């Protein structure tokens, strides 16, 4: 795949920053970057549409955030059409975080057991990781 | 034998003004009836105050004396109360009057004055205290003035290591007269030391033994020093034992609060462990969560790889089909041009070849195949770990621990609330003090062992020098040596006597207690009592086994048997003052104890409430051994009057 010049850093909005802190508070995640990575894979596995946000504050270098390039590979695998995976990843972080916030509102904490069970169930039912649920912003 | 003649109290406790009980020098049982809170225990304390200048509360806790000043008397401006007890022993009459004068401010100690008259002659303070100590030593007071609570303590005698047991055992040996022998043995130790010095002096005067005498002197000095050290340590160990007993008593008083504290402390330890476990597991979860982004993708990646592999297979197959067809087209084109098959040289099979070609050539996208292959390679390079289930299990574990922590914290809070009004610091202080006293006692006992060993070694040296002096000395040493040898032999006799006397006493006490017990108990299957080294008594069943668990009633009967046995075997005898002794006993036992009481002591003064023993029962059982009855009559909630009961 041909990749256009992509972002060197990953940024989040103020709103996403708030959710990052909330998730840290409600879970045993040690680093906000771990939460953000989890948000990316949650979005990918559920087929969440990425959310474009404005006024992003730089948060991590891509080298820190994805030192092995594995997350980029995952993004590319699920979204072969995407030409700027790290820019795309920012949108996945944003939507993934909102999904997690909703989940916390409902369950009071991050129920990994439920989240993983839901992901598996979707894949069994559809044999593809697509969740068209639109998480309201 | 010591007899009580009268007890007079003035403004003491609930007793306003002067009130008196006469015992008229008579033998038998005196009963003072009184409901709860009328002042029965106060009367027991009045006797204790007169004899020992002390007032005890529950758990043998000493009460500030001035608190016993009658409330109304205090309101009327009186600051003084007094107790006078009249006694008779061996034809001498004693009157002890103790007065307590409260100070103007509570911070200042009250003034306690004692006046003792022997045959109406006032005695000076020192003589008075000496007389009192001989009439009834405080150490053995527990066998003359007691209540149910004190009787309960005899159970401790079955526990070897108990400090309380140690204290009671000493008291028992005191009432039985063992200290007389021990004192004699100590006196002989002193005499021996003096005899040795005399022997050394004699040896110095003899030229042949002069040098040996110097050596003898040195060893004697060492020995005297070591013996002094041993005595100091023995005194220290006795002091520590008493302090341990006091600390144990103090802890007992707050037993319930201590139990709560122990429960709380143990929960807090468990909580600390759980917190550590929580920390460890949450760290482990943190590590697992750092790779949590893998988990949701595991299935998706597998599916993707599957899709891409299938696509790659399809694309490869299409490309190969196309290549095959392209080859056949090449052959066909050559066949057409030359009329001969370029593969097999046939000339008549053009039509068959055309038929084989069938489809037209298609365009194959080789870029897509490359892309798919590249994607597959990328995906294969990502190794996703599937630690989600492990993390979930850890989270469940953590959840359980957190629930446990929450429950335990809540219990700790409840227990803390219960402890809100308890002197926790005092209990902790007592507990620490007890632990430190135990440690000191162990350390001092070790020191004592070393010193005793040292003394044996010095004595060996001593004996060796003594032998040499005797061998080389002349006749002028013979007298001193013989004196010394005699004292040594006497000392050995007394050392042996202490052990034998103790053993004899234990056997006597066991026999007397068993006889009394058989009369007191209503259980025919109980055969006799068995005594241990501490004078603790166990019940032996007819079939030979020891009764391990005793009811509180049985405990009471055993304790009374012991007290009776001690009275019977003691060189000291005197009146018994017993407060509410029947509370735990059924009617059968009450009757049996009542029957036996007049034989336990010449004078017995009972402080009872009617529910534990009715006057009808007392009169029927005691008959003419019941000398007189008194009633503690309620004047008001804070005032009581002692009235004789006319029968």
């Amino acid at each position: 795949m041909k990749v256009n010049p992509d972002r060197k850093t990953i940024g989040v909005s103020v709103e996403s920053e708030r959710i990052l802190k909330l998730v840290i508070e409600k879970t045993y995640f040690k680093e906000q970057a771990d939460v953000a990575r989890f948000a990316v894979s949650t979005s990918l596995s559920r087929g969440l549409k990425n959310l474009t946000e404005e006024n992003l504050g730089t948060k991590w270098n891509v080298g820190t955030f994805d030192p092995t390039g594995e997350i980029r590979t995952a993004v590319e695998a699920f979204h072969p059409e995407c030409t700027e995976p790290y820019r795309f990843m920012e949108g996945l972080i944003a939507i993934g975080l909102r999904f997690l916030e909703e989940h916390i509102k409902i369950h009071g904490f991050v129920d990994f057991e439920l989240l993983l069970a839901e992901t598996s169930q979707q894949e069994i039912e559809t044999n593809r990781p697509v969740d068209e649920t639109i998480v309201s912003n | 034998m010591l007899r009580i003649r009268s007890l007079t109290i003035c403004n003491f406790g609930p007793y306003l003004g002067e009130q008196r009980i006469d015992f008229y020098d008579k033998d038998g049982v005196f009963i003072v009836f009184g409901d709860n809170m009328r002042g029965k225990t106060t009367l027991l304390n009045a006797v204790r105050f007169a004899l020992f200048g002390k007032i005890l509360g529950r758990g043998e806790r000493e009460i500030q004396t001035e608190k016993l000043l009658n409330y109304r008397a205090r309101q009327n401006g009186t600051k003084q109360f007094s107790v006078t007890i009249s006694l008779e022993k061996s034809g001498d009459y004693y009157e002890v009057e103790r007065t307590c004068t409260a100070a103007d401010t509570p911070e200042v100690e009250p003034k306690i004055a004692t006046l003792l008259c022997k045959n109406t002659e006032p005695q000076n303070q020192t003589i008075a205290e000496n007389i009192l100590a001989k009439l009834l030593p405080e150490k053995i007071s527990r066998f003359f003035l007691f209540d149910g609570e004190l009787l309960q303590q005899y159970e401790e005698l079955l526990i070897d290591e108990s400090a309380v047991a140690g204290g009671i055992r000493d008291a028992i040996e005191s009432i039985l007269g063992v200290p007389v022998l021990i004192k004699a043995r100590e006196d002989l130790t002193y005499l021996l030391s003096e005899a040795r010095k005399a022997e050394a002096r004699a040896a110095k005067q003899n030229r042949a033994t002069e040098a040996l005498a110097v050596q003898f002197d040195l060893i004697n000095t060492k020995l005297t020093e070591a013996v002094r050290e041993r005595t100091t340590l023995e005194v220290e160990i006795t002091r520590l034992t008493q302090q341990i007993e006091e600390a144990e008593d103090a802890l007992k008083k707050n037993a319930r609060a201590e139990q709560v504290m122990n429960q709380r402390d143990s929960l807090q330890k468990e909580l600390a462990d759980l917190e550590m476990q929580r920390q460890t597991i949450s760290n482990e979860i943190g590590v697992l969560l750092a790779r949590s982004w893998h988990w949701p993708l595991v299935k998706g990646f597998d599916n993707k790889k599957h899709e891409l592999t299938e696509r790659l297979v399809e694309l490869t197959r299409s490309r190969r089909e196309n290549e095959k067809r392209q080859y056949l087209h090449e052959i066909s084109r050559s066949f057409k041009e030359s009329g001969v098959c370029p593969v097999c040289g046939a000339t008549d099979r053009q039509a068959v070849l055309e038929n084989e070609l069938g489809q037209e050539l298609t365009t194959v996208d080789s870029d897509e195949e490359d892309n798919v292959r590249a994607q597959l390679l990328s995906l294969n390079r990502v190794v996703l770990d599937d630690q989600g289930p492990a993390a979930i299990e850890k989270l469940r574990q953590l959840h359980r621990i957190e629930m446990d922590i929450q429950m335990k914290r809540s219990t700790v809070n409840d227990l803390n609330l219960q402890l809100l009004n308890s002197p926790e610091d005092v209990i902790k202080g007592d507990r620490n003090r007890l632990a430190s006293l135990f440690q000191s006692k162990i350390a001092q006992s070790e020191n004592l062992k070393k010193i005793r060993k040292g003394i044996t070694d010095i004595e060996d040296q001593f004996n060796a020098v003594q032998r040499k002096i005797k061998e080389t000395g002349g006749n002028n040493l013979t007298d001193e040596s013989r004196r010394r040898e005699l004292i040594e032999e006497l000392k050995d006799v007394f050392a042996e006597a202490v052990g034998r006397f103790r053993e004899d006493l234990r056997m006597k006490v066991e026999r007397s207690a068993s006889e009394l017990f058989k009369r007191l108990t209503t259980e025919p299957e109980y055969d006799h009592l068995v005594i241990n080294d501490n004078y603790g008594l166990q019940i032996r069943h007819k079939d030979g086994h020891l009764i391990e668990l005793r009811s509180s009633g049985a405990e009471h009967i055993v304790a009374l048997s012991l007290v009776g046995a001690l009275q019977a075997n003691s060189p000291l005898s005197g009146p018994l003052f017993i407060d509410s002794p029947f509370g735990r006993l059924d009617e059968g036992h009450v009757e049996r104890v009542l029957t036996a009481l007049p034989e336990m002591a010449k004078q017995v003064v009972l402080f009872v409430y009617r529910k534990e023993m009715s006057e009808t029962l007392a009169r029927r059982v005691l008959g003419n051994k019941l000398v007189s009855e008194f009633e503690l009559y309620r004047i008001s909630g804070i005032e009581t009057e002692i009235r004789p009961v006319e029968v």
Side-chain angles (χ1 to χ4, degrees):
Chain A
M1 175 189 281
K2 178 133 176 50
V3 178
N4 291 339
D6 198 358
R7 294 179 67 90
K8 300 284 183 230
T9 57
I10 290 172
V12 293
S13 67
V14 174
E15 184 61 6
S16 292
E17 181 85 41
R18 181 188 64 75
I19 303 172
L20 280 171
K21 283 178 188 159
L22 172 81
V23 180
I24 289 277
E25 189 191 310
K26 297 276 180 186
T27 62
Y28 296 93
F29 278 107
K30 302 276 181 215
E31 306 288 340
Q32 290 188 356
D34 295 335
V35 180
R37 290 184 197 106
F38 187 70
V40 170
S41 66
T42 301
S43 305
L44 290 175
S45 65
R46 289 171 179 268
L48 302 180
K49 287 180 179 168
N50 68 337
L51 182 70
T52 310
E53 288 185 306
E54 301 296 326
N55 300 324
L56 300 186
T58 301
K59 188 80 181 166
W60 303 284
N61 286 319
V62 292
T64 319
F65 190 76
D66 183 25
T68 57
E70 287 175 321
I71 305 176
R72 193 189 65 192
T73 305
V75 172
E76 286 168 348
F78 284 87
H79 294 278
E81 76 288 353
C82 139
T83 52
E84 293 172 283
Y86 288 119
R87 182 174 292 279
F88 195 80
M89 223 178 271
E90 287 175 336
L92 291 173
I93 292 171
I95 193 70
L97 286 176
R98 275 148 188 80
F99 176 84
L100 288 176
E101 187 183 25
E102 278 301 306
H103 177 89
I104 289 172
K105 273 185 194 162
I106 296 165
H107 301 284
F109 64 104
V110 176
D111 188 342
F112 287 98
E113 190 174 7
L114 181 66
L115 287 177
L116 296 186
E118 279 175 1
T119 310
S120 298
Q121 193 57 34
Q122 272 178 342
E123 286 165 4
I124 289 163
E125 282 168 4
T126 62
N127 199 28
R128 61 195 179 93
V130 174
D131 184 340
E132 294 299 334
T133 313
I134 296 172
V135 179
S136 59
N137 188 357
Chain B
M1 126 150 219
L2 181 70
R3 277 195 169 78
I4 182 168
R5 304 178 70 218
S6 68
L7 178 74
T8 309
I9 53 180
C10 183
N11 294 332
F12 188 81
Y15 304 99
L16 177 65
E18 192 173 290
Q19 304 197 37
R20 180 183 167 100
I21 300 179
D22 278 310
F23 300 95
Y24 310 109
D25 253 352
K26 288 182 182 169
D27 291 347
V29 179
F30 301 83
I31 303 178
V32 180
F33 289 103
D35 292 336
N36 288 337
M37 291 173 284
R38 286 288 73 78
K40 295 189 294 296
T41 307
T42 308
L43 278 181
L44 192 71
N45 261 323
V47 177
R48 188 176 280 123
F49 179 65
L51 293 172
F52 315 115
K54 272 184 187 168
I55 295 166
L56 299 182
R58 213 171 294 144
E60 289 187 90
R61 184 170 35 92
E62 204 167 330
I63 292 174
Q64 287 169 300
T65 319
E66 69 273 24
K67 288 196 172 165
L68 264 290
L69 176 61
N70 178 270
Y71 178 75
R72 208 168 293 282
R74 191 194 300 264
Q75 298 286 90
N76 295 339
T78 306
K79 289 182 182 173
Q80 203 176 66
F81 67 80
S82 65
V83 179
T84 308
I85 191 164
S86 282
L87 303 161
E88 184 267 328
K89 188 179 183 185
S90 312
D92 288 320
Y93 292 91
Y94 301 88
E95 191 166 272
V96 188
E97 182 187 344
R98 243 186 252 264
T99 311
C100 171
T101 310
D104 289 330
T105 53
E107 296 80 35
V108 180
E109 290 281 310
K111 199 175 152 196
I112 294 171
T114 310
L115 174 67
L116 184 140
C117 293
K118 183 179 176 184
N119 299 322
T120 69
E121 283 291 315
Q123 307 292 311
N124 75 34
Q125 199 65 29
T126 319
I127 295 175
E129 291 301 334
N130 277 340
I131 290 174
L132 276 174
K134 280 181 188 159
L135 282 176
L136 190 64
E138 190 187 346
K139 195 171 185 185
I140 59 166
S141 65
R142 61 179 308 122
F143 306 114
F144 296 91
L145 287 85
F146 57 86
D147 56 11
E149 192 185 325
L150 211 57
L151 286 179
Q152 216 176 329
Q153 285 188 355
Y154 293 107
E155 205 177 345
E156 293 278 336
L157 293 170
L158 297 174
I159 307 163
D160 277 348
E161 299 302 319
S162 156
V164 174
I168 301 175
R169 189 188 53 223
D170 287 350
I172 289 175
E173 294 204 331
S174 290
I175 189 179
L176 294 175
V178 177
V180 176
L181 281 182
I182 295 173
K183 192 92 182 82
R185 191 180 59 186
E186 284 164 5
D187 289 348
L188 282 165
T189 306
Y190 171 76
L191 288 176
L192 181 61
S193 166
E194 291 300 302
R196 280 169 173 166
K197 281 180 198 163
E199 193 179 14
R201 274 195 300 275
K204 270 184 196 164
Q205 283 162 15
N206 185 333
R207 196 175 286 275
T209 54
E210 199 180 348
L212 283 169
V214 172
Q215 206 181 337
F216 188 92
D217 255 356
L218 284 172
I219 297 172
N220 198 27
T221 311
K222 260 167 69 182
L223 186 63
T224 311
E225 191 52 44
V227 168
R228 191 177 300 130
E229 216 174 321
R230 182 186 64 190
T231 311
T232 311
L233 275 175
E234 282 169 349
V235 169
E236 173 65 6
I237 289 169
T238 310
R239 191 183 62 83
L240 285 167
T241 308
Q242 279 169 358
Q243 287 181 344
I244 287 171
E245 199 179 323
E246 283 164 17
E248 280 182 345
D249 280 351
L251 279 174
K252 263 188 206 161
K253 276 174 229 154
N254 291 308
R256 170 67 195 140
E258 210 210 351
Q259 201 183 347
V260 172
M261 256 177 68
N262 286 341
Q263 197 187 345
R264 188 214 43 203
D265 291 351
S266 127
L267 275 174
Q268 275 174 336
K269 270 185 198 154
E270 286 174 32
L271 268 172
D273 285 349
L274 285 171
E275 292 284 5
M276 275 177 65
Q277 282 182 43
R278 179 169 73 167
Q279 193 54 47
T280 310
I281 294 178
S282 80
N283 285 342
E284 287 170 2
I285 290 171
V287 171
L288 289 169
L289 285 179
R291 289 175 71 79
S292 63
W293 67 270
H294 287 205
W295 311 337
L297 297 177
V298 173
K299 286 267 158 59
F301 258 51
D302 284 348
N303 289 343
K304 279 280 164 209
K305 282 183 198 170
H306 184 69
E307 274 175 31
L308 288 171
T309 308
E310 292 214 326
R311 182 68 187 139
L312 188 61
V313 168
E314 195 184 319
L315 288 169
T316 310
R317 192 185 300 123
S318 300
R319 179 175 50 77
R320 285 191 181 147
E321 278 294 317
N322 218 32
E323 281 169 0
K324 183 183 159 193
R325 276 199 296 277
Q326 209 165 7
Y327 177 62
L328 289 173
H329 275 287
E330 284 297 318
I331 294 170
S332 174
R333 190 172 49 79
S334 170
F335 207 159
K336 271 184 196 164
E337 283 170 8
S338 63
V340 179
C341 174
V343 179
C344 64
T347 54
D348 55 347
R349 300 182 71 174
Q350 174 84 32
V352 177
L353 188 61
E354 290 294 327
N355 193 39
E356 277 289 317
L357 276 171
Q359 294 165 340
E360 285 298 310
L361 276 174
T362 53
T363 313
V364 171
D365 182 357
S366 61
D367 280 353
E368 190 191 353
E369 191 185 341
D370 290 345
N371 276 340
V372 169
R373 183 170 284 110
Q375 275 186 55
L376 202 51
L377 277 172
S378 292
L379 283 184
N380 280 336
R381 274 199 294 272
V382 179
V383 181
L384 293 178
D385 73 31
D386 192 8
Q387 291 291 307
I392 286 163
E393 188 42 53
K394 291 249 178 236
L395 282 162
R396 277 193 199 130
Q397 211 179 331
L398 192 63
H399 180 64
R400 283 195 295 270
I401 288 172
E402 281 179 340
M403 294 282 285
D404 208 6
I405 287 175
Q406 216 168 347
M407 277 171 60
K408 286 196 161 82
R409 274 204 188 130
S410 153
T411 314
V412 165
N413 287 342
D414 287 349
L415 295 173
N416 276 334
L417 279 177
Q418 287 181 42
L419 287 169
L420 215 55
N421 295 321
S422 300
E424 197 174 335
D425 291 344
V426 175
I427 295 171
K428 273 186 186 160
D430 285 343
R431 204 194 283 167
N432 293 339
R433 185 164 163 261
L434 188 61
S436 117
L437 286 169
F438 266 123
Q439 277 179 348
S440 304
K441 190 179 170 184
I442 290 167
Q444 298 293 44
S445 301
E446 282 303 311
N447 289 341
L448 186 60
K449 261 189 208 165
K450 280 180 203 157
I451 293 215
R452 281 184 176 148
K453 168 83 176 57
I455 289 174
T456 313
D457 293 346
I458 297 169
E459 276 177 341
D460 287 346
Q461 293 171 28
F462 213 93
N463 291 335
V465 177
Q466 260 176 1
R467 268 197 305 277
K468 276 187 196 167
I469 291 176
K470 200 175 176 183
E471 283 159 19
T472 50
N475 283 338
N476 56 340
L477 285 182
T478 314
D479 284 350
E480 297 302 342
S481 298
R482 282 186 61 191
R483 182 175 294 125
R484 190 252 310 148
E485 280 167 3
L486 182 66
I487 296 173
E488 273 177 350
E489 280 165 22
L490 268 174
K491 196 179 158 224
D492 290 344
V493 166
F494 271 84
E496 173 72 17
V498 172
R500 278 207 207 167
F501 186 56
R502 269 200 180 114
E503 190 51 30
D504 283 357
L505 280 175
R506 281 196 324 109
M507 290 304 110
K508 278 183 186 168
V509 169
E510 183 184 81
R511 208 163 32 244
S512 308
S514 289
E515 281 165 14
L516 187 53
F517 177 75
K518 291 277 285 172
R519 289 173 55 203
L520 297 184
T521 184
T522 53
E523 178 49 67
E525 288 185 14
Y526 289 166
D527 194 55
H528 64 277
L529 296 174
V530 182
I531 200 163
N532 69 9
D533 287 343
N534 275 344
Y535 302 89
L537 290 165
Q538 282 185 286
I539 304 169
R540 196 180 289 286
H541 189 268
K542 267 186 175 167
D543 69 10
H545 80 276
L546 290 171
I547 305 293
E548 293 293 342
L549 294 169
R550 310 196 292 222
S551 69
S552 53
E555 208 58 65
H556 221 73
I557 293 295
V558 171
L560 280 169
S561 305
L562 176 64
V563 172
L566 294 175
Q567 297 285 343
N569 290 285
S570 168
L572 278 165
S573 57
L576 293 185
F577 298 87
I578 316 176
D579 182 13
S580 308
F582 304 117
R584 293 169 163 203
L585 303 180
D586 57 40
E587 204 172 324
H589 279 106
V590 171
E591 192 167 334
R592 281 171 174 250
V593 173
L594 260 182
T595 311
L597 273 181
E599 289 159 51
M600 284 171 71
K602 295 277 183 203
Q603 287 181 307
V604 178
V605 185
L606 284 177
F607 304 105
V608 293
Y609 53 93
R610 283 193 174 77
K611 209 168 179 187
E612 64 177 318
M613 188 197 71
S614 68
E615 53 264 75
T616 322
L617 179 74
R619 286 169 198 162
R620 178 172 61 77
V621 174
L622 291 168
N624 60 6
K625 285 175 185 159
L626 175 58
V627 183
S628 44
E629 295 170 44
F630 301 89
E631 169 83 28
L632 301 182
Y633 185 79
R634 179 186 184 274
I635 303 293
S636 73
I638 50 169
E639 200 183 327
T640 297
E641 200 173 284
I642 304 169
R643 292 182 178 175
V645 176
E646 297 299 331
V647 182

